[in-house]
Amino acid sequence: MSRAEAADAGATAAPAPAPAPAAARRWGLSLLLSEVTTTFRRWRTLALLGVLAAVPILIGIAVKIETGGDGGDGGHGGGGPAFISQVTNNGLFLVFTSLAATLPFFLPMAIGVIAGDSVAGEAGSGTLRYLLVAPAGRTRLLLAKYATTMAFCFAATLVVAVSALAVGALLFPLGEVTLISGTTIGFGEGLLRALAIAAVVALSLVGVAALGLFVSTLTTSGVAAMATTVGLLITVQILDQFPQLSAIQPYLFPHYWLSFADLLRDPVYWDQVLRNLGLQALYAAVFGSAAWARFTTKDITV
Amino acid sequence: MEEGRTGPKPWPGAAEGAPVVETRGLTKRFGAQLAVDGLDLVVPRGSVFGFLGPNGSGKTTTIRMLMGLIEPTSGTARVLGEEMPRGTRRVLPRVGALIEGPALYGFLSGRDNLMRFDAADPTADARTRRARVGHALDRVGLTSAAGKKARAYSLGMKQRLGLAAALLQPRELLVLDEPTNGLDPQGMREIRTLVRSLASEGTTVFLSSHLLDEIEQVCTHVAVMARGRLLTQGTVGELASSTRGRLAVTTPDTAEAVRVLKEHGVNDLAVLDDRVTGELPAGPATELADLNAALVRADVRVRAFGTERASLEDAFVALTGEGFDVAG
Ligand SMILES: Nc1ncnc2c1ncn2[C@@H]1O[C@H](COP(=O)(O)OP(=O)(O)OP(=O)(O)O)[C@@H](O)[C@H]1O
Ligand SMILES: [Mg+2]
């Protein structure tokens, strides 16, 4: 700062005295890029991804121990898709098993943490006011935050899928895939279906992400927003279990989550999958608008 | 609406053109609390404007309204010719701000903090970002600590980094809410130097502070707030001269001096060691020579005699009262 005196005075700034060049004046991806890198550089984000990566490892080892290397059939267990019995025959089924195991709680909980903290955390630490006077623009900032949360949805799903594929390939044989409908497809096509399923699972999280973002605009405490979002998730998951509430259940965001198994039929049953995606879009629209309405009129007093 | 960045002839105190900040009846109510009450503030272009007031008088709330962070309950605030908060997108790229202390990402380095704040500005050129960040760091003396995580910064280093964020681009207006908070004496001097050099480049500086010395040293204009209301605004000279100066006499015969001065209408007499001070009577200026002669006639041994110019502190206390308690 000692050099601040006189001589240096005019030089601070960029060689762009006029309003910045037109190309840079458009909405620009700078903020989104900064948002993504900032989120993924946080120790907490990496820890969440680490936990998600560990789930397939645990399932894989458990299955391996239980079957003792014997290719026997574990018996088709009740309600959920019975992928687990197939894992010993084909490691690819560990991908489906792991996604089915993490989708009800682990994945949405991780999304709830990231989405809940996105606005509230910055409001609490005060960095939000400096982003807004930069000026990031409230709509632009909210969109960047939502897009980053979505990026995290995909990253989290991918981490589970890739970890499961690696563990599956390591512990079990890989090969042709027998679909739920009984038909057999090659391993290559099986891999493609796994990719499609991962995409559908990631998109299934769009609704929670929007809900978390909305909650995040309501408070200046990141922890409170995370806890509220996760609490809501658990409540809704419980409500989805009561038969007495069957009238409202089709409107609960997790209701069609496990329908991704329908992608393993031949021909694919699209009905429930599309309903799921439609419901997620509805949640994204409703809570996204609510978040926008709240955030663009909110007094930033911290 | 956007013109060039700075006026063609930048010099401090140049009050040409439209004011940089102009508020009319600006009011903010938090529940029952009136934080800012009918504020009419005018900040001339090119001024270094000191914004004074006791704790809780509404300075930060005013600044937040000027920056579009909170919406006024009533009244209007115009910054660089546009109404806030509607004009934020056009106005704020030309404004640098430090509001109620710095706020940083502890898990990022100082440099990465600045990169992030700069990326948030849609008008900032990404190609020059690294260079501008480097320059801003240099300007606040943080270059050698730029790679350190902000979590590990001292209070003064954080304050400097916050200032650097306000200096990422050439600004027309710089809003600094207590910028020297937590700085060491060298840091304070450097901030003063920085403010002066920015002002000489044509940047208008709006500076809130409790340090009256500091305001007196760098500001051309001042406004004083108390309990959400504006008590006065004008040039520093006007404010100081509106408070009458005090007479000061140094003498070993203090008791006798007090008696004589009282006879001649000097009020509010106070004795400290061998110094007697008092307020000169109002009305037609008392001839100081007569007072001095009266003292000498009464055999008071006068060692020094004169008036002290009222300091900004005298003016401030005269306006806002002596009380220490924060207004509820
Ligand atoms: N978010 C809020 N909710 C309720 N009251 C508030 C809020 N923010 C400020 N106030 C009140 O408004 C008044 C003005 O506060 P402000 O922060 O503007 O004061 P200030 O002049 O900046 O004080 P300081 O010199 O201590 O920084 C205070 O009485 C404060 O209690
Ligand atoms: Mg304040």
Side-chain angles (χ1 to χ4, degrees):
Chain A
M1 195 152 44
S2 46
R3 277 156 304 245
E5 287 115 61
D8 196 29
T12 314
R25 307 208 73 196
R26 275 184 259 120
W27 269 35
L29 294 176
S30 287
L31 179 61
L32 177 59
L33 215 67
S34 156
E35 195 62 48
V36 170
T37 46
T38 306
T39 303
F40 282 89
R41 278 172 75 175
R42 294 200 75 161
W43 185 86
R44 193 186 53 209
T45 310
L46 301 179
L48 284 172
L49 293 177
V51 168
L52 288 169
V55 173
I57 301 177
L58 293 179
I59 297 177
I61 292 174
V63 170
K64 187 79 180 170
I65 290 171
E66 200 183 320
T67 55
D70 169 26
D73 198 319
H76 293 268
F83 300 129
I84 202 156
S85 58
Q86 298 249 32
V87 170
T88 43
N89 300 325
N90 190 343
L92 189 56
F93 272 86
L94 190 58
V95 176
F96 311 136
T97 308
S98 301
L99 287 175
T102 50
L103 184 51
F105 286 110
F106 279 105
L107 275 173
M109 239 152 46
I111 308 304
V113 168
I114 298 295
D117 192 49
S118 62
V119 177
E122 298 229 31
S125 72
T127 46
L128 183 60
R129 67 174 183 269
Y130 286 109
L131 291 179
L132 290 180
V133 300
R138 296 196 184 200
T139 306
R140 180 167 166 263
L141 183 60
L142 196 68
L143 281 174
K145 294 264 178 210
Y146 191 56
T148 304
T149 311
M150 289 304 309
F152 181 77
C153 291
F154 278 91
T157 312
L158 214 62
V159 161
V160 173
V162 168
S163 160
L165 189 62
V167 174
L170 218 63
L171 298 181
F172 309 104
L174 294 176
E176 292 190 330
V177 178
T178 309
L179 298 177
I180 299 176
S181 50
T183 354
T184 303
I185 56 172
F187 179 71
E189 200 192 330
L191 216 51
L192 278 182
R193 296 227 181 184
L195 200 64
I197 284 177
V200 168
V201 167
L203 289 173
S204 301
L205 299 167
V206 167
V208 208
L211 179 66
L213 193 71
F214 171 60
V215 171
S216 193
T217 60
L218 298 178
T219 165
T220 55
S221 157
V223 175
M226 290 185 237
T228 308
T229 311
V230 173
L232 279 172
L233 165 75
I234 293 171
T235 313
V236 171
Q237 282 286 46
I238 291 171
L239 291 181
D240 202 27
Q241 304 303 317
F242 289 114
Q244 292 88 337
L245 296 175
S246 58
I248 58 154
Q249 281 170 355
Y251 303 100
L252 300 178
F253 62 84
H255 190 65
Y256 299 106
W257 272 357
L258 293 180
S259 67
F260 74 79
D262 290 347
L263 291 174
L264 286 180
R265 295 177 194 275
D266 201 20
V268 172
Y269 288 8
W270 286 107
D271 184 41
Q272 302 248 310
V273 174
L274 292 180
R275 262 186 220 206
N276 179 24
L277 297 184
L279 190 60
Q280 300 307 322
L282 182 69
Y283 269 80
V286 170
F287 286 103
S289 311
W292 180 81
R294 168 73 184 151
F295 187 58
T296 50
T297 55
K298 187 184 182 183
D299 275 356
I300 309 296
T301 56
V302 182
Chain B
M1 280 305 245
E2 278 174 53
E3 297 135 45
R5 284 205 169 256
T6 46
K9 294 171 288 178
W11 76 88
E16 88 271 338
V20 169
V21 173
E22 191 172 16
T23 72
R24 289 241 174 81
L26 191 66
T27 301
K28 182 67 188 183
R29 185 183 284 282
F30 291 110
Q33 168 101 43
L34 212 50
V36 174
D37 184 7
L39 187 66
D40 294 312
L41 196 66
V42 178
V43 178
R45 184 172 287 272
S47 62
V48 178
F49 196 98
F51 197 39
L52 294 173
N55 291 132
S57 55
K59 302 182 297 292
T60 301
T61 305
T62 304
I63 289 175
R64 282 180 189 276
M65 284 192 278
L66 294 179
M67 297 295 102
L69 290 173
I70 62 181
E71 192 130 17
T73 307
S74 64
T76 56
R78 293 176 81 80
V79 178
L80 299 175
E82 292 213 46
E83 196 163 311
M84 299 300 279
R86 232 180 303 139
T88 44
R89 265 183 57 205
R90 288 174 301 279
V91 170
L92 293 184
R94 300 183 278 155
V95 179
L98 184 67
I99 306 158
E100 209 160 49
L104 306 167
Y105 299 90
F107 57 97
L108 294 180
S109 69
R111 183 184 307 277
D112 286 342
N113 267 281
L114 295 186
M115 298 289 280
R116 171 147 171 83
F117 290 128
D118 195 62
D121 179 355
T123 67
D125 191 344
R127 287 164 300 178
T128 59
R129 180 160 300 144
R130 192 155 281 280
R132 283 183 293 112
V133 164
H135 212 103
L137 284 166
D138 190 40
R139 205 156 192 190
V140 298
L142 269 186
T143 305
S144 58
K148 220 175 175 176
K149 293 259 186 287
R151 186 192 303 123
Y153 275 19
S154 71
L155 176 61
M157 289 162 83
K158 287 180 183 159
Q159 192 77 12
R160 286 166 189 245
L161 196 63
L163 261 168
L167 299 174
L168 285 167
Q169 299 230 43
R171 311 288 192 183
E172 275 178 66
L173 169 65
L174 206 58
V175 175
L176 304 175
D177 193 3
E178 296 177 36
T180 51
N181 199 5
L183 290 184
D184 50 29
Q186 290 90 331
M188 289 195 193
R189 272 174 65 107
E190 283 163 5
I191 296 293
R192 283 198 292 271
T193 312
L194 187 65
V195 165
R196 287 198 195 100
S197 86
L198 286 163
S200 72
E201 289 163 40
T203 302
T204 306
V205 182
F206 185 82
L207 185 79
S208 109
S209 177
H210 296 120
L211 301 176
L212 297 158
D213 273 357
E214 183 172 289
I215 296 266
E216 201 160 24
Q217 284 184 46
V218 296
C219 292
T220 59
H221 292 68
V222 264
V224 182
M225 299 269 292
R227 296 165 180 254
R229 292 175 157 277
L230 186 66
L231 296 180
T232 183
Q233 63 180 327
T235 64
V236 172
E238 280 165 16
L239 181 61
S241 64
S242 71
T243 307
R244 253 170 291 124
R246 286 177 75 85
L247 176 71
V249 180
T250 308
T251 170
D253 314 315
T254 50
E256 184 64 7
V258 167
R259 190 187 61 77
V260 174
L261 290 173
K262 195 174 261 171
E263 269 173 17
H264 285 78
V266 178
N267 300 315
D268 190 22
L269 284 158
V271 180
L272 186 71
D273 297 333
D274 61 348
R275 261 167 64 89
V276 180
T277 62
E279 200 171 301
L280 288 168
T286 318
E287 182 51 64
L288 289 175
D290 294 347
L291 272 179
N292 195 7
L295 287 169
V296 173
R297 269 199 305 278
D299 287 336
V300 174
R301 289 166 291 169
V302 177
R303 286 188 186 142
F305 181 93
T307 52
E308 293 175 335
R309 194 176 71 87
S311 70
L312 199 55
E313 182 167 335
D314 298 327
F316 182 77
V317 171
L319 280 164
T320 59
E322 295 272 4
F324 171 72
D325 290 340
V326 170

